[in-house]
Amino acid sequence: MPKFKVGPVLSFRGVDLSSPQAPRWKVTALLGIPTDTAPFNLLLDGTPTTPPVTLFENADTRIVRYDLSVTLQDAERRVTYALPDDSARWQFTVPAKTLSPRMAYVSCNGYSDPSLMRKLVQPANAVWEDLLRNHDQAFHPDDYRIDKEQLWHLEQSRGREFQRFHVLLMGGDQIYFDSIWDDIEECKQWVKLSRKDQLAFSVSAALDRRIAKYYFDTYCERWLPSKLGYWNGSASKRGLGCADALACIPTVMMWDDHDIFDGWGSYTPEMQQCPLAQTIFKHARAAFWVFQMQHALSALPELRSRVSTNVLIDAPRFESIDWHAHLAADALALPMVNEQPGFSQAYSIGPLALYSADLRTERSRTQILSESSWRAMERWMNDISKTNAQTRHVVVLSSVPVAHPKMPLAEGLFDVFGQDHVLDSSADDIRDHWSHDDHEASRLRLVQLLTKVASEQRVRVQIVSGDVHVAAWGGVTRHDASPEARSLRIEQLTASAVVHPPPSGPVERMFLFYLNKKAEDVQAIGADYTAQMMPFPNHSQRIMPARNWLALEPDSHFDAQRGPRLWAAWRCETTKGFTNHLLAMESVVRDC
């Protein structure tokens, strides 16, 4: 068996409806192998796959992508894929062709400072382990006991012969690159320079190569720990982690700041456009394209700046990309939203529509999305029902929560005293929020769009977010909505983090007290909307400071008029186990 450099990492590529009678569930698997190892076919349910496509290659590593797509059938089923000698095998489950998928959501798969990990109440991978043991009974040790909520889900949404989740949503910070400021000597010294010298710092060709190698190597180091290189031994004995989840649940990934470096997009224009920052962004983007989006590095389009005269703007402005034309030759290309420069993707899966928004490529202190990206989102949203009349739920992945406590005191302090310092994340965390004064207009535009979609297309809209290292439930409501028009309420589900510790120190507990008090406030969004944090299900406060993951699951039946109800269930870490927090989101009655 070849020793893996990374993988397998499954990626969900959407549903191919070109043959309506035999729709295909498109899945790929990324694998990193030594360059001197000849590429080999995997076995998919015992049949050899087509040869893999090479995405990237350097002196010692070849990254390849396999096609594991299968035809959707009337009932869900397990699919097995294995090495050609059957020395290692994995499984994933695909849904029935008329039903919404069962999904899990995670964010913040790492930490910005290793010292923070001393604050954990359970081992670093405990939340991943809980997710996987909820996903598949094959991961249960002999002495494992399920709790009553797990039993309810087991009986409600799946049979014992199937794995629980069809798709794993990863909402940002899949990997933390803040360590670059310690691991690369030139970057470590750059941090110590004066601001003037930082902005003038020139990146040599040798440093450019080191940064490129660092980003690609770090994915391999953190997504496949060395003890999993041969995938031998019982998972229940060696412990479970991120690599196990990536190998058995097809993913939808979108980046956030730590996938680049902490705070990207919330520094001053001068700092963000300096040579070192731009070099880091270039290589982070390339590594994200290969490892998280599973596209060939040679197919990555360049970001071209839009040059306009007599325009006073500090935000990046890039030319739109015709993604449909650019990726036309790749049958397994991600469903990119067309005519926007970022990586936003959109999926239609039975009664579910999923929009994964890229909120980092064009971010600045005053901008989250450019005008071309807003128009692209609006075009897709306005066509949801035309694309698929079955759609009942629209799930929007926003890396940063749209409904979250607004903290004007903190905003004011950081706006006055905040520094352009890459090792101090406090100021950029506040500036990232949709509720920050600089982004309030963008937040209003988003909720106007989403309530318009809910009203005109008779769908329920949910926003799923991470980033903030707590679990929370909020909502956005339009003032003039009748009590019966529940579809106009947008639910905000926040799940964070799967690895990063929650706030726990004395100062952080004071901040949590302040955060919970601010969570009681009703926020005005323009003249017609309000955002409000709700008491977290089965908890005494509105903010749950615990590591967690989120399940999003439809009822097993489908009603032609109403569609499936969508259940949200958080699993939150305690000192000894996990607690369950359940929320039901009804569909909308629609004329057929």
Side-chain angles (χ1 to χ4, degrees):
M1 185 194 302
K3 184 173 176 62
F4 296 170
K5 295 284 189 170
V6 67
V9 178
L10 299 183
S11 175
F12 176 58
R13 321 298 281 186
V15 180
D16 181 358
L17 297 173
S18 58
S19 176
Q21 300 306 314
R24 290 184 63 77
W25 187 255
K26 296 197 295 183
V27 173
T28 59
L30 177 144
L31 200 61
I33 56 177
T35 302
D36 58 7
T37 299
F40 48 83
N41 294 346
L42 295 177
L43 298 177
L44 183 63
D45 280 343
T47 301
T49 62
T50 55
V53 174
T54 296
L55 305 182
F56 166 79
E57 186 173 350
N58 61 18
D60 56 10
T61 302
R62 178 186 290 118
I63 305 297
V64 296
R65 187 190 75 186
Y66 292 87
D67 182 3
L68 302 184
S69 303
V70 296
T71 302
L72 290 173
Q73 300 179 357
D74 292 335
E76 69 176 335
R77 61 187 174 114
R78 279 201 193 214
V79 176
T80 299
Y81 69 102
L83 291 180
D85 61 359
D86 209 29
S87 55
R89 57 170 49 203
W90 303 266
Q91 292 184 321
F92 62 94
T93 295
V94 300
K97 62 183 178 182
T98 59
L99 298 181
S100 296
R102 297 187 296 269
M103 302 180 293
Y105 174 88
V106 297
S107 67
C108 302
N109 178 44
Y111 46 85
S112 52
D113 183 347
S115 66
L116 295 173
M117 302 306 284
R118 293 196 298 265
K119 300 179 180 180
L120 294 177
V121 297
Q122 293 195 57
N125 283 329
V127 184
W128 276 119
E129 190 169 86
D130 183 69
L131 189 159
L132 285 158
R133 288 177 174 168
N134 275 264
H135 172 61
D136 193 340
Q137 292 186 86
F139 292 126
H140 291 184
D142 293 339
D143 60 349
Y144 189 72
R145 298 293 181 268
I146 63 175
D147 57 43
K148 63 179 182 179
E149 283 81 5
Q150 289 173 295
L151 179 62
W152 183 88
H153 281 286
L154 187 69
E155 296 174 343
Q156 172 75 9
S157 61
R158 63 189 174 118
R160 290 180 178 271
E161 69 272 22
F162 299 117
Q163 296 165 308
R164 182 170 175 182
F165 299 113
H166 305 116
V167 177
L168 175 62
L169 308 176
M170 303 186 75
D173 302 340
Q174 279 70 256
I175 189 166
Y176 278 59
F177 279 107
D178 309 309
S179 51
I180 192 172
W181 305 113
D182 286 321
D183 293 346
I184 295 183
E185 184 60 29
E186 292 94 330
C187 296
K188 188 174 183 177
Q189 296 305 317
W190 180 89
V191 172
K192 301 175 183 178
L193 297 176
S194 68
R195 175 183 170 84
K196 178 182 177 181
D197 290 340
Q198 285 179 338
L199 298 180
F201 181 86
S202 178
V203 178
S204 67
L207 177 56
D208 184 271
R209 290 192 296 270
R210 275 194 290 275
I211 292 172
K213 187 175 189 303
Y214 184 80
Y215 273 85
F216 279 79
D217 288 352
T218 302
Y219 273 99
C220 297
E221 293 167 4
R222 296 185 187 169
W223 275 14
L224 187 69
S226 58
K227 63 182 178 181
L228 296 181
Y230 288 100
W231 282 95
N232 55 356
S234 168
S236 61
K237 292 180 180 178
R238 63 167 163 75
L240 299 168
C242 173
D244 299 276
L246 299 181
C248 68
I249 315 176
T251 60
V252 171
M253 301 188 191
M254 180 50 67
W255 66 350
D256 203 27
D257 57 334
H258 292 281
D259 300 278
I260 307 164
F261 66 82
D262 186 20
W264 176 265
S266 292
Y267 296 105
T268 61
E270 298 80 13
M271 181 61 70
Q272 195 154 306
Q273 293 166 13
C274 76
L276 182 61
Q278 285 296 307
T279 299
I280 289 175
F281 175 72
K282 175 183 68 175
H283 294 304
R285 181 173 179 262
F288 173 79
W289 176 253
V290 171
F291 286 92
Q292 298 198 38
M293 306 199 77
Q294 298 193 10
H295 280 291
L297 183 58
S298 59
L300 176 62
E302 182 182 352
L303 280 176
R304 300 181 183 275
S305 295
R306 293 173 56 197
V307 179
S308 301
T309 58
N310 302 322
V311 174
L312 180 62
I313 186 170
D314 288 331
R317 303 177 76 229
F318 301 118
E319 293 181 1
S320 294
I321 297 171
D322 186 345
W323 288 107
H324 293 177
H326 185 78
L327 298 174
D330 186 353
L332 292 169
L334 286 171
M336 306 290 285
V337 178
N338 208 29
E339 296 297 337
Q340 48 95 27
F343 294 131
S344 295
Q345 308 144 50
Y347 303 77
S348 181
I349 319 166
L352 178 80
L354 174 67
Y355 193 96
S356 180
D358 180 354
L359 306 181
R360 283 295 157 183
T361 294
E362 304 170 286
R363 180 179 283 270
S364 73
R365 285 192 171 187
T366 57
Q367 172 180 279
I368 296 176
L369 294 168
S370 70
E371 186 59 32
S372 61
S373 293
W374 278 113
R375 289 198 301 268
M377 181 191 293
E378 289 163 356
R379 282 195 299 270
W380 187 86
M381 291 282 181
N382 290 332
D383 287 342
I384 288 173
S385 294
K386 298 176 187 176
T387 304
N388 182 7
Q390 279 191 323
T391 305
R392 297 295 186 272
H393 288 277
V394 177
V395 175
V396 178
L397 294 190
S398 168
S399 54
V400 180
V402 175
H404 194 68
K406 184 172 176 64
M407 295 170 283
L409 177 60
E411 285 185 24
L413 287 173
F414 286 124
D415 284 345
V416 173
F417 300 107
Q419 300 296 317
D420 263 348
H421 200 298
V422 296
L423 300 183
D424 180 10
S425 64
S426 301
D428 61 75
D429 285 347
I430 296 296
R431 292 192 181 103
D432 273 356
H433 288 182
W434 285 92
S435 58
H436 190 280
D437 283 353
D438 288 338
H439 300 314
E440 278 284 17
S442 295
R443 181 163 74 150
L444 175 59
R445 183 171 184 174
L446 179 64
V447 300
Q448 285 175 330
L449 170 61
L450 297 183
T451 52
K452 176 177 179 286
V453 169
S455 175
E456 295 181 358
Q457 305 196 47
R458 302 297 293 159
V459 294
R460 286 298 303 273
V461 178
Q462 293 88 27
I463 301 173
V464 182
S465 304
D467 181 68
V468 290
H469 305 158
V470 296
W473 168 35
V476 176
T477 307
R478 200 172 80 185
H479 292 167
D480 60 352
S482 65
E484 294 78 19
R486 288 182 296 172
S487 64
L488 300 186
R489 175 183 164 84
I490 301 168
E491 303 293 350
Q492 167 71 68
L493 313 174
T494 303
S496 172
V498 67
V499 169
H500 196 287
S504 59
V507 175
E508 292 171 321
R509 290 192 178 278
M510 292 177 61
F511 172 74
L512 275 172
F513 177 79
Y514 170 67
L515 191 64
N516 263 302
K517 293 300 292 183
K518 297 306 298 180
E520 297 174 3
D521 296 344
V522 177
Q523 302 171 38
I525 304 179
D528 299 321
Y529 300 87
T530 56
Q532 184 174 14
M533 304 306 296
M534 309 303 295
F536 192 65
N538 302 334
H539 185 58
S540 60
Q541 300 291 326
R542 286 171 165 78
I543 304 299
M544 167 62 88
R547 295 196 299 174
N548 60 90
W549 61 274
L550 175 71
L552 285 171
E553 301 171 284
D555 281 333
S556 55
H557 69 281
F558 180 82
D559 182 291
Q561 284 187 303
R562 181 178 293 279
R565 179 170 44 187
L566 195 61
W567 294 90
W570 289 265
R571 291 274 293 178
C572 295
E573 182 185 37
T574 67
T575 55
K576 296 183 179 180
F578 287 80
T579 55
N580 299 271
H581 308 266
L582 187 64
L583 177 67
M585 292 169 288
E586 298 287 347
S587 299
V588 182
V589 175
R590 176 192 287 182
D591 294 334
C592 296

